[in-house]
Amino acid sequence: MPGSIAKYALHAITAPLILLLFFTMTGRGASLFDSFAFTAAQWHNMKTVFVSIFLEALPFILLGSLVSSALHLYVSEDMVRRWLPRSPLLGIIYACALGILLPICECGMIPIMRRLIRKGMPVYIGVTYILAAPIINPVTYAATSMAFPANPSMAAMRLALAFVVASAVGLVLFRTVRRNPLKADAGGQAPAHRHEHDHDHAHGHADTHDHEHDHVYESAGRKAAGVFTHAADEFFEMGKYLMLGAFLTACVQTFISREDLLTLSGGTFGAHAFMMGFAYLISLCSTSDAFIAASFRGTFPPSALLAFLVFGPMIDFKNTLMLLSVFRGRFVAQLIALVTAAVLILSLILNKLM
Amino acid sequence: MKHMAPADRKAAFHHVMRAAILIGIAFYIVYLQTTGKLTLYIAPRMTIYVKIASLALYVTAVFGIYEAFRLLSKPSAADCGCSHAMPSSTLRSALAYLLFIIPLGIAFLTPDTTIGSAMAANKGMTLSASQSLQQPADDGQAAELPGTEESDTAISEDIDASTTDSELAAEPSDTTAATPSPESGSAPAADSIDALFPSDEYTISYANLGKKLYQQETIVVEEKRYMEILTALDLFLDRFVGKTVTIEGFVYRDDTLTNNAFILGRFAVSCCAADAMPYGVMVQTDHPEQYGNDTWLRMTGTLATTTYNGNEIMLLQASKTEKIEPADDPYVYPNYDF
């Protein structure tokens, strides 16, 4: 499959280019080779960050794979349709609130949402959930209020802003998305069915058929075993992107210092843009990023910290790669642009109000 | 067996490969756990999930192997008729598996170390731990005297609790605190001490901690309340100037520091090492050049203040410095009931 090799090659070329651009822009182009003369300490830092992100995300991505796989085998499209509200507005509110019941972070929910979208869940509901759930849940609320002991409104405002951003993006997607944004090579078809169509199918179906087929298992036990084999498929598909994301994040954390980045920020707009860019680069989980945000308290206004706290869990390096594994590149780009604009504008408005 | 479809054999191969990688990851987690290195990467409160994950990986792998055997022993047995998401080309599948195998191999074969001053430089050392408690609009002024009429009532209710607590606190602080003057915890002293540690609802627990620390001969910035003690000292810095403080940590320097000062600190980890934030104290000592970056030291000295980047921060004027082994667990963790 030359297409996917090209894609990997593209990733491999893009990442160093971004770094190169950064070093050039911060005037470190000359010392570029010095910074790549790997010291032992840098190597240790990189390994520590890589392994810790991977291990931290592992339980959630595995849970997501297992749940997605169970949905695949046990939940029919009709059931999904029955659970969902008909009105789009209600559906969006429902998607925002679902995180309270299903507090899984983004690593775990992307495979689940892909599955549900394949099962007929409207795209705007699935994406709204992916955006909202990492923030609108009790665990993140508690972690945020602990990180801002002197400013308890921070946690509430984080949730409120996330709600507004997620539902705004959801509404825009409801209005605009007509085409199935799931990736072409996986689109319409379950991932399990996109390869090896040359071998015998017990029951043939057209490749373009836009729903999942029913599995015919010999027994309930075999079906339960199927949950695990399908979960392994999902795990490896998502895991590739997690590996790449963790690696790039480890590079960023090792080679780019906060001080250097701070020189790029200036003024109110700069502060908000910087905090969002920083959130994107460091790719932390929504339960632990509040402490990092708190460390910027002396430097930036609270609305910039909110921009960090809302943007990071919705869109970051790690989850961009994971979104790309599910959705078409164009859709992901549009989604990132939408979320960026929404968070930036709303946090700047908040800055004026506060 | 003879009529086994080539696709089945290929699928079986992939199931085995995947199972091997899953078991490899599970084994890596078990290895980290048994050698006590898991907490170099993951905060103790999160390790349970990682351990459960290793179990789930193992179970998933076993099912994969079982599936492979089934495919190999029964020709054309693919019961859902579709096999699974097995990569079709050899190059593609090799790439996909190498993406897991190479990092796993490197992770296994290279030593597990900790992050140190190089990472602290990237993340930015926090020298004013109470920053997160200060109202942004007040620019640090509020922290000086946050206590007002409303919070006074809260404090007076707290007198008894704080005095008894302080006697309790003297017991676990092992070093020089063995000789606390028993009178220091008496009622009149408690009255005056409350005036020294005004608080509001957000800083009340730090004020209570501050009261306990204030009555100690030597304030030990102990591991399990590292951030909290630094925050209390920073919040009520004026009260603690002149006190004796003992702190452990690694040496950190950057080019903003003058020659005879460096920073002694540790990383505070909330979930995993990726979110570590360095917390430290500026220290001054004779011949600081003998202590290289990342050397672990235990320093005792007198607390003073200095100005750094326009902020007043604490400065430890060390009178005693000893080199120590790095702590078994290099990180400190937020302690919510201190």
Side-chain angles (χ1 to χ4, degrees):
Chain A
M1 206 166 275
S4 52
I5 294 164
K7 195 183 65 200
Y8 281 119
L10 198 68
H11 287 320
I13 294 165
T14 314
L17 277 180
I18 293 172
L19 282 176
L20 188 78
L21 193 69
F22 168 78
F23 282 115
T24 322
M25 276 170 65
T26 51
R28 300 203 338 191
S31 62
L32 184 63
F33 293 100
D34 295 346
S35 29
F36 280 113
F38 231 34
T39 64
Q42 281 171 335
W43 162 248
H44 293 154
N45 291 344
M46 225 165 115
K47 183 190 171 184
T48 305
V49 175
F50 175 81
V51 174
S52 70
I53 289 179
F54 178 73
L55 290 182
E56 178 78 26
L58 183 67
F60 300 100
I61 202 166
L62 205 56
L63 181 68
S65 303
L66 283 167
V67 171
S68 158
S69 171
L71 287 173
H72 175 52
L73 295 179
Y74 289 101
V75 177
S76 75
E77 292 164 34
D78 285 345
M79 283 158 87
V80 172
R81 253 171 228 140
R82 248 178 290 139
W83 290 341
L84 291 173
R86 297 220 176 276
S87 139
L89 213 59
L90 225 73
I92 284 170
I93 292 170
Y94 177 86
C96 283
L98 204 59
I100 298 169
L101 297 176
L102 286 172
I104 311 170
C105 68
E106 72 233 30
C107 305
M109 67 185 48
I110 289 178
I112 299 179
M113 279 307 124
R114 173 174 65 172
R115 177 68 61 207
L116 287 174
I117 291 172
R118 288 226 177 90
K119 293 248 178 211
M121 178 191 255
V123 172
Y124 68 92
I125 291 189
V127 173
T128 307
Y129 177 74
I130 291 177
L131 297 180
I135 302 174
I136 306 177
N137 69 64
V139 184
T140 304
Y141 181 85
T144 311
S145 28
M146 277 174 200
F148 290 92
N151 199 350
S153 67
M154 205 69 181
M157 294 204 357
R158 180 183 193 185
L159 265 62
L161 185 59
F163 179 82
V164 176
V165 170
S167 43
V169 172
L171 272 177
V172 173
L173 292 181
F174 168 70
R175 286 267 168 225
T176 54
V177 174
R178 289 286 161 266
R179 212 167 75 131
N180 182 358
L182 291 178
K183 239 167 95 173
D185 59 342
Q189 290 294 327
H193 311 151
R194 64 186 160 124
H195 302 294
E196 310 225 344
H197 274 278
D198 50 338
H199 79 93
D200 304 58
H201 270 228
H203 47 91
H205 56 88
D207 277 5
T208 49
H209 211 46
D210 200 14
H211 66 77
E212 301 195 321
H213 67 197
D214 291 322
H215 283 245
V216 185
Y217 278 106
E218 294 152 14
S219 68
R222 292 265 328 112
K223 193 169 176 179
V227 171
F228 284 95
T229 41
H230 272 107
D233 298 345
E234 300 262 0
F235 177 78
F236 276 86
E237 226 176 314
M238 286 289 140
K240 286 188 296 220
Y241 293 92
L242 175 66
M243 285 286 188
L244 281 173
F247 175 70
L248 291 175
T249 306
C251 290
V252 166
Q253 288 211 9
T254 305
F255 293 110
I256 298 179
S257 84
R258 196 158 118 172
E259 289 295 312
D260 287 341
L261 286 173
L262 271 171
T263 57
L264 298 176
S265 72
T268 311
F269 181 83
H272 289 73
F274 164 77
M275 283 309 279
M276 287 166 64
F278 187 61
Y280 186 84
L281 288 176
I282 60 170
S283 304
L284 291 178
C285 301
S286 57
T287 49
S288 58
D289 59 355
F291 291 89
I292 304 294
S295 73
F296 280 99
R297 280 195 65 136
T299 322
F300 292 129
S303 57
L305 306 190
L306 276 174
F308 172 92
L309 289 171
V310 172
F311 188 72
M314 290 187 174
I315 303 284
D316 62 32
F317 224 144
K318 183 173 53 141
N319 97 341
T320 301
L321 288 175
M322 291 175 74
L323 285 172
L324 281 171
S325 73
V326 174
F327 298 109
R328 290 176 211 275
R330 247 185 91 169
F331 179 78
V332 175
Q334 284 166 345
L335 182 64
I336 292 175
L338 262 177
V339 174
T340 309
V343 174
L344 195 58
I345 292 167
L346 287 167
S347 61
L348 283 170
I349 291 174
L350 266 179
N351 184 54
K352 286 270 171 282
L353 296 178
M354 270 164 29
Chain B
M1 200 68 178
K2 289 165 200 65
H3 301 293
M4 190 175 67
D8 275 353
R9 203 168 23 199
K10 205 157 142 192
F13 164 76
H14 284 298
H15 279 300
V16 171
M17 273 305 284
R18 289 177 174 195
I21 293 171
L22 293 177
I23 287 177
I25 299 171
F27 186 67
Y28 181 58
I29 294 169
V30 171
Y31 158 79
L32 288 177
Q33 168 65 18
T34 49
T35 50
K37 288 170 183 161
L38 192 56
T39 50
L40 293 182
Y41 300 104
I42 302 287
R45 70 188 178 94
M46 301 300 287
T47 52
I48 180 72
Y49 303 112
V50 180
K51 287 184 225 167
I52 293 172
S54 75
L55 201 68
L57 285 172
Y58 181 74
V59 172
T60 309
V62 168
F63 276 108
I65 291 171
Y66 167 79
E67 184 69 16
F69 271 113
R70 211 179 52 83
L71 284 172
L72 289 177
S73 57
K74 277 194 280 177
S76 63
D79 58 359
C80 65
C82 60
S83 179
H84 298 280
M86 298 307 177
S88 44
S89 89
T90 334
L91 184 60
R92 185 186 148 91
S93 58
L95 256 176
Y97 293 135
L98 280 179
L99 207 53
F100 289 87
I101 294 169
I102 292 173
L104 194 61
I106 292 174
F108 252 121
L109 297 174
T110 57
D112 297 284
T113 52
T114 63
I115 49 180
S117 59
M119 194 53 123
N122 278 358
K123 299 209 173 209
M125 190 53 102
T126 305
L127 292 170
S128 176
S130 73
Q131 198 188 60
S132 67
L133 284 165
Q134 291 164 11
Q135 296 296 333
D138 303 330
D139 255 341
Q141 296 301 313
E144 299 293 330
L145 279 172
T148 48
E149 287 76 23
E150 349 135 32
S151 54
D152 276 350
T153 53
I155 289 171
S156 53
E157 280 169 13
D158 237 65
I159 291 176
D160 300 275
S162 66
T163 46
T164 47
D165 277 1
S166 66
E167 276 150 11
L168 288 173
E171 178 239 334
S173 53
D174 32 331
T175 54
T176 27
T179 54
S181 44
E183 310 84 22
S184 66
S186 62
D191 250 352
S192 57
I193 207 170
D194 277 339
L196 290 177
F197 292 93
S199 62
D200 56 28
E201 58 177 309
Y202 309 125
T203 54
I204 179 91
S205 46
Y206 292 100
N208 288 336
L209 179 62
K211 287 174 212 166
K212 290 180 215 167
L213 296 172
Y214 189 73
Q215 290 164 336
Q216 292 173 10
E217 203 103 322
T218 300
I219 298 166
V220 180
V221 185
E222 53 182 0
E223 190 165 49
K224 66 175 198 287
R225 293 188 300 185
Y226 200 86
M227 287 165 73
E228 290 72 25
I229 292 175
L230 284 183
T231 305
L233 293 181
D234 186 44
L235 193 58
F236 301 100
L237 188 51
D238 292 346
R239 309 284 174 266
F240 288 105
V241 167
K243 288 269 179 187
T244 308
V245 171
T246 297
I247 186 167
E248 295 177 2
F250 64 85
V251 174
Y252 165 80
R253 284 186 182 85
D254 62 34
D255 41 18
T256 63
L257 297 170
T258 52
N259 294 337
N260 61 342
F262 58 82
I263 290 164
L264 200 65
R266 293 183 73 158
F267 276 102
V269 167
S270 151
C271 285
C272 70
D275 63 45
M277 274 304 294
Y279 281 78
V281 175
M282 178 95 70
V283 293
Q284 231 169 22
T285 182
D286 299 332
H287 310 296
E289 62 284 349
Q290 60 183 309
Y291 309 113
N293 275 359
D294 293 314
T295 316
W296 278 69
L297 300 176
R298 178 185 297 123
M299 302 184 93
T300 304
T302 316
L303 213 59
T305 62
T306 185
T307 311
Y308 179 75
N309 287 345
N311 298 316
E312 190 185 44
I313 60 162
M314 66 176 105
L315 173 73
L316 187 69
Q317 290 168 324
S319 52
K320 196 172 131 212
T321 303
E322 49 182 320
K323 286 189 184 178
I324 55 169
E325 284 296 303
D328 289 337
D329 186 343
Y331 309 128
V332 293
Y333 307 97
N335 184 343
Y336 298 116
D337 32 39
F338 52 91

